[in-house]
Amino acid sequence: MTKIYIDNANLNSLARNLSSKLGITTALIGCIVLLGWIFNIPILKSMLPGLVAMKVNTALGFIFSGICLWLWHQYCQTKLLHLKLISQILAVMVALLGLLTIIQYIFNINLRIDQLLIKEAENAVFTSYPGRMAPNTALCFLWLGLALILLRTKVVGITQILAFCSFLIALLGFIGYIFGIRSFYQIPPLTTMAVHTSILFILLGLGVLLADPEKGWIQEVMSPYLGGIIARNLLPLVIGIPIVTSGLFLSAYRTNTIDIETGLIVRSIINIGFLGGVVWWNARYLNATDQKYQNAQKALLESYENLETKIQRRTSQLESTNQALVNSRHQLANLINTLPGIVFSRSVNDDFSVESLSDGYLSIIGGNGKELASDENRTFQGLIVPEDLPKIDTAIRKAIADQMTYEVEYRIHSQCGQEKWLWEKGIETFINGEQKIQGFITEITSLKHTQAALQESEAKFRELADNIHEVFHINSADLSEILYISPGYEEIWGQSCESLYQHPESWSESIHPDERDRIFAACARLVQGEPLEEEYRIIHPTGDIRWIFARVFPIYSPSGQILRHVGIAADITERKLTEIALQHSQERYRSLVQATTQVIWITDATGKFTTVQESWEAFTGQTFTEYQGLNWQYSLHPDDRERTIKIWLQAIAKNCLYENECRICDSNGEYHCFWVRALPVLETDGSIREWVGACTNITVRKQTELEIRQLNEQLEERVQQRTAELIAANKELEAFSYSVSHDLRAPLRGIDGFSKTLLERYQDQLDERGQHYLTRIRAGTQRMGELIDNLLQLSRVTRTPIRYAQVNLSAIAQEIAQQLSENEPERQVQWLISPDLIVWGDAQLLRIVMENLFNNAWKFTSTKIQTKIELSCILLENNNHSRLTYMITDNGVGFDQAYANKLFQAFQRLHTVEEFPGTGIGLATVQRIVRRHGGDVWANGVIGERATFYFTL
């Protein structure tokens, strides 16, 4: 007994130490991930490229949880209250972190806790909201936080259940990562649980489970007795073997090594083999233990027999009757003490206390009957759970009153603190005239646990069956009676379960008429013992057609007779419709490939032909063996092979679009020009599964391009010839313009000079009308000279070569504004010129633009008392493009917007010369300079209010 206590204490101490170390490990890994976020180290955040990163809040949750668990163990050792307080605060923070995240998901709100410390990129991998942990991660934190809060309380069983639930969710996520099942760790389209998050939850869940191994249901696993030993031996295998076999089956199924039916049978056989081996090993262990116990009992019996022999030899002088009585008593004692229960005797008093117990007491309660009888403070009655004492008293009193045996079940606390169930049967007897209660007590703890497990299993079965969407049913052996039907029947068949119980054959009335004969035949074979696995259609009461997949198999008795049938029926309408749509799509694709003139082909991930390519064969006339693998390259023109293979390998290496132009030989031996284009088809992990490509015959287009190129060459020669002719004509026109302007200037200067002389010398001889005529002659000649100058400037602007450089428009505008203000200092003008408007262009030509625009603004604001002229720059959208646009705005007389297009035409004016002088050439000059700079110019005005001129470069 002492050794058992020591072993139990050592086992519990090891469990607590492991729990504390798991807490510290979790906190340290959380700190490492947090450092990964602080210093932006991707491998610390997500372990592997392409995987979802552990969020900052998740890392903090693990840090708080791990420290909380470690502090809880420190408090248990030192009993320092401040450690317990800090541990509870951290546990509450962990629970709140999980709860607030779940609230954000449920109510679709943002409490601004996800990126409170560190911001995460908007396009983070498998992340619905930047910085927010996955919903299953938040649920695990909520459960573990509550479990840490409830440690060392009366509800430690609930604590362990919460920790175990989080352990299962994390294990499911980890298995999902191992076998590539995303639905195990992600709830689309929400954030995914990271792989190291699932690992830390597994560690943390185990740490909480082992934190208090002496309480709750975990004490059965940590027990030093056979049950605990077997549980610790079996649990890793029970968890690990199905996972390993399922992984092997899944890998074989994904690689098409075996089909799903064969895989399930093979996996079942492997599981049976492994688990059968485990059962055999434990049976061998139990047999060896039992053999040791029987050998000890045998040795003890031999010891008693040897002792009896000695006593018999020493007391041989006793009377034979006394010797026989002694032998009988010893034999009865040996028989009683070897029984697997307790033979007892109770006194008939107020509490029916136990007077004597057989040695079977040792294995059940862990004490000695003689010690119990001699020690007043250690009575059997004191071990009974107080709530069960009235039940025992009532049973005994009723048995005495009815003069019959009684049976009662009650609980006791063993000396090691375990609660056990006992079954007692007794009867009233009289020994030497004294009234006694004698009987037998046996332990039924395992039976009670079995009953409880059975009830729990039935409850879980009922809960599972009642909540699945599929129809789960149990039928009698001849299918004439429905023993159980799940509620999914009402959803799929649209009929009540009660109607099916009353009329078991009513389900078949919904079967589509075309399917009934086949299904009835399958049911007939099912009654004979052949499992049923069929797909068929039913007609829902609403008139909808639904597809059903049914699987039913018989349950046999040990004698080989069919006891009942168990099956499941699932609504596979969506899957069937998808299959039908896929079939139609494949047929359409096949028809498209056959109808199109393009050569359609499919290769494997390395660019090899591994299947027959009908389109390729039809064009090239090759057989599959001739173009198999990379032999397709020999159909290319020899000059194109090396370049084509190089581009193809580059596309495979970069996992990108493949485009190339090459020549391919047809079945007649002629080469045709093709434009080849292929796209990779990717697996879920991002690797290339295959390439799908098409070869488009561009031979006609290439011939057309050749003809167009030849025509372009001819056209280019004509253009060059015409350009030379235009250059010569322009030179002649320029010479003519210069000659005309020079010849015109001479008579104009003569007219102006003679008119001026007449006015000066003969002014007293001319009347006012004559002087007026001479003045008008002079004004006309001057205006004619100005017009000639402007025309010459317009001509020079058109032919002057542009010398590009950085030009400061603001500086030019400031110089022009200063000059205009100095010429007419009496005018009050407000100049608003934006600084540092730097452009790229010809400085001399741009100065002409600015002079014309500013002179216009100065001229047309002359009637205003307060004048405002502004130069600025804005960004305007035009045809989905943004361009810098420069504006010169004035508050002058403005113009009618309907005539805006006439402003930039030569000699076009909106005002008379008497109103505002000018030749009508300035804005035409501005337009030519701006367009030579690749820009545009336009105007916007309101009569009497403003005018704005815009230009771009």
Side-chain angles (χ1 to χ4, degrees):
M1 181 64 66
T2 304
K3 186 176 185 305
I4 292 176
Y5 276 125
I6 293 173
D7 290 345
N8 193 17
N10 290 338
L11 192 60
N12 292 334
S13 177
L14 287 174
R16 291 190 184 93
N17 288 337
L18 179 58
S19 174
S20 178
K21 290 177 181 178
L22 288 174
I24 286 297
T25 302
T26 302
L28 288 175
I29 296 176
C31 291
I32 292 172
V33 174
L34 188 59
L35 290 174
W37 278 101
I38 294 174
F39 298 105
N40 194 21
I41 305 174
I43 193 172
L44 298 183
K45 296 188 288 183
S46 60
M47 292 187 66
L48 292 174
L51 294 182
V52 64
M54 182 190 294
K55 309 307 178 189
V56 176
N57 285 356
T58 306
L60 290 175
F62 284 125
I63 294 171
F64 294 159
S65 302
I67 295 175
C68 172
L69 184 58
W70 180 79
L71 288 176
W72 184 85
H73 285 288
Q74 300 305 309
Y75 162 73
C76 293
Q77 295 176 3
T78 61
K79 300 301 180 182
L80 296 176
L81 293 178
H82 70 276
L83 295 178
K84 179 180 180 181
L85 178 60
I86 296 173
S87 175
Q88 290 292 302
I89 291 173
L90 292 175
V92 170
M93 292 174 65
V94 172
L96 282 176
L97 182 62
L99 179 61
L100 292 175
T101 304
I102 292 174
I103 289 173
Q104 290 186 120
Y105 277 114
I106 293 175
F107 298 102
N108 194 22
I109 59 175
N110 186 359
L111 300 178
R112 302 186 182 278
I113 64 170
D114 301 322
Q115 305 200 77
L116 191 60
L117 298 179
I118 299 175
K119 302 293 184 181
E120 185 179 29
E122 292 291 333
N123 59 346
V125 177
F126 299 129
T127 301
S128 57
Y129 300 95
R132 184 175 298 178
M133 66 178 71
N136 43 358
T137 301
L139 185 61
C140 288
F141 273 133
L142 175 60
W143 286 347
L144 287 173
L146 294 175
L148 291 170
I149 293 172
L150 298 175
L151 278 174
R152 282 281 184 179
T153 61
K154 294 183 179 180
V155 291
V156 67
I158 297 177
T159 297
Q160 294 171 356
I161 289 173
L162 291 173
F164 186 68
C165 290
S166 65
F167 171 84
L168 289 180
I169 291 178
L171 181 62
L172 185 66
F174 185 64
I175 293 172
Y177 274 106
I178 292 176
F179 300 133
I181 306 174
R182 181 170 295 175
S183 59
F184 280 12
Y185 54 83
Q186 181 186 20
I187 305 175
L190 306 180
T191 302
T192 302
M193 176 186 283
V195 60
H196 44 334
T197 300
S198 62
I199 294 172
L200 291 185
F201 274 131
I202 292 173
L203 299 179
L204 192 57
L206 288 175
V208 176
L209 284 174
L210 298 175
D212 199 359
E214 298 176 351
K215 296 180 181 179
W217 53 268
I218 200 67
Q219 66 178 335
E220 301 298 333
V221 179
M222 302 305 297
S223 169
Y225 297 105
L226 287 177
I229 294 172
I230 292 173
R232 291 192 293 277
N233 289 337
L234 287 179
L235 280 177
L237 296 174
V238 170
I239 295 173
I241 289 173
I243 293 175
V244 172
T245 57
S246 297
L248 294 174
F249 161 68
L250 187 59
S251 299
Y253 176 70
R254 285 177 175 173
T255 56
N256 293 326
T257 304
I258 57 176
D259 56 22
I260 187 168
E261 291 82 6
T262 306
L264 288 173
I265 297 301
V266 170
R267 188 185 68 154
S268 301
I269 293 172
I270 294 174
N271 285 339
I272 291 171
F274 274 103
L275 295 178
V278 172
V279 172
W280 175 84
W281 185 87
N282 281 278
R284 181 182 177 188
Y285 177 82
L286 291 175
N287 288 336
T289 305
D290 188 63
Q291 184 65 38
K292 291 180 181 178
Y293 177 78
Q294 291 182 5
N295 291 338
Q297 289 292 96
K298 185 176 180 181
L300 181 61
L301 182 59
E302 291 176 355
S303 176
Y304 274 118
E305 289 175 353
N306 292 334
L307 180 62
E308 183 65 25
T309 303
K310 292 179 182 179
I311 293 175
Q312 288 177 358
R313 286 198 302 266
R314 291 179 182 179
T315 59
S316 58
Q317 69 274 17
L318 295 177
E319 296 179 355
S320 59
T321 54
N322 289 335
Q323 185 66 42
L325 179 60
V326 170
N327 290 338
S328 176
R329 287 182 178 177
H330 276 285
Q331 290 175 1
L332 179 61
N334 290 334
L335 177 61
I336 291 174
N337 289 330
T338 56
L339 290 174
I342 306 171
V343 177
F344 71 94
S345 176
R346 290 179 180 270
S347 61
V348 180
N349 50 24
D350 292 338
D351 57 357
F352 300 103
S353 59
V354 177
E355 292 182 337
S356 63
L357 297 168
S358 66
D359 289 347
Y361 183 86
L362 293 171
S363 61
I364 296 177
I365 300 178
N368 186 288
K370 295 180 180 179
E371 294 177 358
L372 192 66
S374 61
D375 191 348
E376 296 180 355
N377 297 324
R378 298 174 61 194
T379 63
F380 181 84
Q381 205 77 359
L383 299 178
I384 300 175
V385 175
E387 291 83 357
D388 293 347
L389 288 173
K391 180 168 56 174
I392 301 173
D393 185 86
T394 302
I396 295 176
R397 292 187 185 278
K398 188 176 185 304
I400 293 174
D402 297 339
Q403 295 183 354
M404 59 182 297
T405 61
Y406 70 89
E407 295 180 11
V408 65
E409 295 178 359
Y410 55 89
R411 297 165 294 167
I412 66 168
H413 290 293
S414 67
Q415 292 191 3
C416 61
Q418 288 183 313
E419 183 179 273
K420 294 187 176 182
W421 278 90
L422 301 183
W423 175 80
E424 179 179 321
K425 184 175 183 180
I427 191 171
E428 179 187 15
T429 62
F430 290 89
I431 302 176
N432 297 328
E434 186 177 359
Q435 186 181 14
K436 298 287 185 182
I437 301 294
Q438 290 187 324
F440 186 77
I441 301 173
T442 186
E443 182 183 357
I444 59 170
T445 304
S446 59
L447 177 61
K448 281 291 187 180
H449 289 170
T450 302
Q451 291 175 347
L454 180 60
Q455 292 175 356
E456 182 180 359
S457 176
E458 290 178 352
K460 288 181 178 178
F461 164 75
R462 181 71 62 175
E463 181 180 359
L464 175 63
D466 289 349
N467 288 281
I468 61 175
H469 295 292
E470 293 79 7
V471 179
F472 180 79
H473 58 90
I474 303 176
N475 302 72
S476 60
D478 58 356
L479 303 180
S480 63
E481 184 181 356
I482 301 294
L483 304 179
Y484 174 78
I485 188 73
S486 67
Y489 176 77
E490 297 182 353
E491 179 181 351
I492 296 178
W493 259 261
Q495 300 175 7
S496 66
C497 295
E498 290 74 11
S499 65
L500 187 63
Y501 284 121
Q502 295 173 2
H503 304 284
E505 72 287 350
S506 61
W507 69 274
S508 61
E509 297 174 359
S510 299
I511 300 177
H512 195 280
D514 297 341
E515 311 275 6
R516 287 182 182 174
D517 293 340
R518 179 170 58 86
I519 300 302
F520 289 160
C523 291
R525 294 192 298 271
L526 177 64
V527 173
Q528 301 301 320
E530 179 181 341
L532 180 148
E533 188 168 338
E534 297 286 345
E535 292 181 359
Y536 59 92
R537 292 168 291 170
I538 65 171
I539 302 176
H540 195 268
T542 59
D544 296 337
I545 301 296
R546 295 191 178 184
W547 280 89
I548 304 298
F549 171 76
R551 188 168 183 267
V552 188
F553 54 90
I555 303 296
Y556 294 94
S557 67
S559 62
Q561 294 181 343
I562 298 177
L563 296 176
R564 57 188 175 275
H565 291 90
V566 177
I568 190 168
D571 187 346
I572 60 169
T573 304
E574 291 186 6
R575 193 192 78 189
K576 290 298 292 185
L577 293 178
T578 302
E579 290 177 356
I580 294 171
L582 178 60
Q583 181 180 0
H584 292 168
S585 177
Q586 290 175 344
E587 292 175 354
R588 285 194 296 270
Y589 171 75
R590 190 176 296 108
S591 301
L592 177 63
V593 170
Q594 295 174 353
T596 184
T597 58
Q598 293 182 321
V599 179
I600 309 298
W601 46 268
I602 299 175
T603 73
D604 64 5
T606 61
K608 298 178 180 178
F609 282 148
T610 57
T611 58
V612 175
Q613 308 293 319
E614 298 177 359
S615 183
W616 182 271
E617 291 182 358
F619 180 78
T620 62
Q622 294 178 324
T623 62
F624 179 63
T625 56
E626 291 176 333
Y627 63 81
Q628 185 178 10
L630 290 174
N631 291 334
W632 53 265
Q633 61 179 308
Y634 298 113
S635 296
L636 306 183
H637 194 281
D639 297 341
D640 297 342
R641 290 175 190 169
E642 182 178 355
R643 175 178 54 82
T644 299
I645 292 295
K646 181 178 179 181
I647 298 173
W648 180 238
L649 294 177
Q650 288 176 352
I652 293 175
K654 295 180 180 180
N655 193 3
C656 64
L657 173 68
Y658 166 75
E659 290 183 308
N660 182 38
E661 183 180 311
C662 61
R663 289 164 288 180
I664 304 175
C665 184
D666 64 6
S667 57
N668 297 323
E670 296 181 2
Y671 284 99
H672 296 260
C673 251
F674 280 90
W675 176 252
V676 186
R677 196 169 186 266
L679 283 171
V681 180
L682 305 181
E683 297 283 4
T684 56
D685 59 356
S687 61
I688 299 176
R689 184 176 77 236
E690 60 187 11
W691 289 83
V692 178
C695 302
T696 304
N697 195 330
I698 59 172
T699 304
V700 176
R701 192 188 77 186
K702 296 295 289 185
Q703 293 174 351
T704 304
E705 288 178 354
L706 179 62
E707 294 175 359
I708 293 174
R709 192 179 300 112
Q710 293 174 350
L711 289 175
N712 285 338
E713 291 175 356
Q714 296 176 3
L715 182 61
E716 183 66 26
E717 293 177 359
R718 295 177 182 177
V719 168
Q720 291 177 356
Q721 180 181 358
R722 184 60 176 168
T723 302
E725 294 175 356
L726 288 175
I727 291 173
N730 284 335
K731 288 183 178 179
E732 293 177 1
L733 181 60
E734 181 180 349
F736 174 74
S737 297
Y738 180 78
S739 175
V740 168
S741 61
H742 183 271
D743 293 342
L744 287 175
R745 282 181 177 277
L748 285 176
R749 283 195 297 270
I751 294 171
D752 183 58
F754 286 121
S755 299
K756 182 180 179 182
T757 302
L758 285 174
L759 281 174
E760 290 176 353
R761 295 184 180 181
Y762 303 101
Q763 183 176 5
D764 55 345
Q765 298 179 17
L766 296 174
D767 56 9
E768 292 181 0
R769 183 176 296 273
Q771 293 178 8
H772 171 70
Y773 289 154
L774 287 175
T775 302
R776 290 188 62 181
I777 289 172
R778 287 201 63 198
T781 55
Q782 291 173 359
R783 186 169 181 275
M784 187 66 179
E786 183 181 353
L787 183 60
I788 292 171
D789 291 337
N790 289 338
L791 285 173
L792 286 175
Q793 185 186 54
L794 181 61
S795 176
R796 286 194 298 270
V797 163
T798 303
R799 67 178 186 273
T800 300
I802 296 179
R803 296 178 177 84
Y804 281 98
Q806 283 191 351
V807 180
N808 191 334
L809 293 182
S810 301
I812 295 174
Q814 290 287 358
E815 294 175 4
I816 297 171
Q818 183 177 359
Q819 182 179 356
L820 291 172
S821 297
E822 289 175 354
N823 291 340
E824 297 184 46
E826 69 279 1
R827 289 187 58 179
Q828 297 180 3
V829 181
Q830 181 183 7
W831 298 96
L832 299 175
I833 299 174
S834 297
D836 298 326
L837 297 180
I838 308 298
V839 298
W840 187 255
D842 188 294
Q844 183 178 359
L845 295 178
L846 291 178
R847 175 175 286 275
I848 295 172
V849 170
M850 299 301 292
E851 287 177 347
N852 279 285
L853 293 177
F854 268 81
N855 285 334
N856 261 14
W858 180 267
K859 176 170 59 177
F860 289 108
T861 56
S862 59
T863 60
K864 297 288 184 177
I865 298 175
Q866 294 290 335
T867 299
K868 180 179 178 182
I869 301 175
E870 179 181 2
L871 170 65
S872 59
C873 176
I874 60 172
L875 193 65
L876 287 183
E877 292 284 342
N878 186 16
N879 295 329
N880 296 326
H881 293 287
S882 299
R883 296 192 67 180
L884 282 174
T885 302
Y886 304 92
M887 304 185 305
I888 297 177
T889 305
D890 63 74
N891 62 341
V893 297
F895 58 86
D896 189 346
Q897 188 65 30
Y899 303 104
N901 293 332
K902 297 175 61 177
L903 293 175
F904 301 98
Q905 299 178 10
F907 308 113
Q908 295 290 332
R909 291 174 49 82
L910 301 182
H911 302 277
T912 63
V913 177
E914 289 76 12
E915 290 178 315
F916 298 100
T919 61
I921 300 298
L923 291 180
T925 304
V926 169
Q927 186 184 58
R928 291 199 181 185
I929 294 174
V930 169
R931 288 185 175 175
R932 288 198 68 192
H933 282 76
D936 197 7
V937 61
W938 66 96
N940 193 338
V942 178
I943 297 176
E945 295 184 7
R946 61 176 176 80
T948 303
F949 287 86
Y950 304 85
F951 68 92
T952 59
L953 300 175

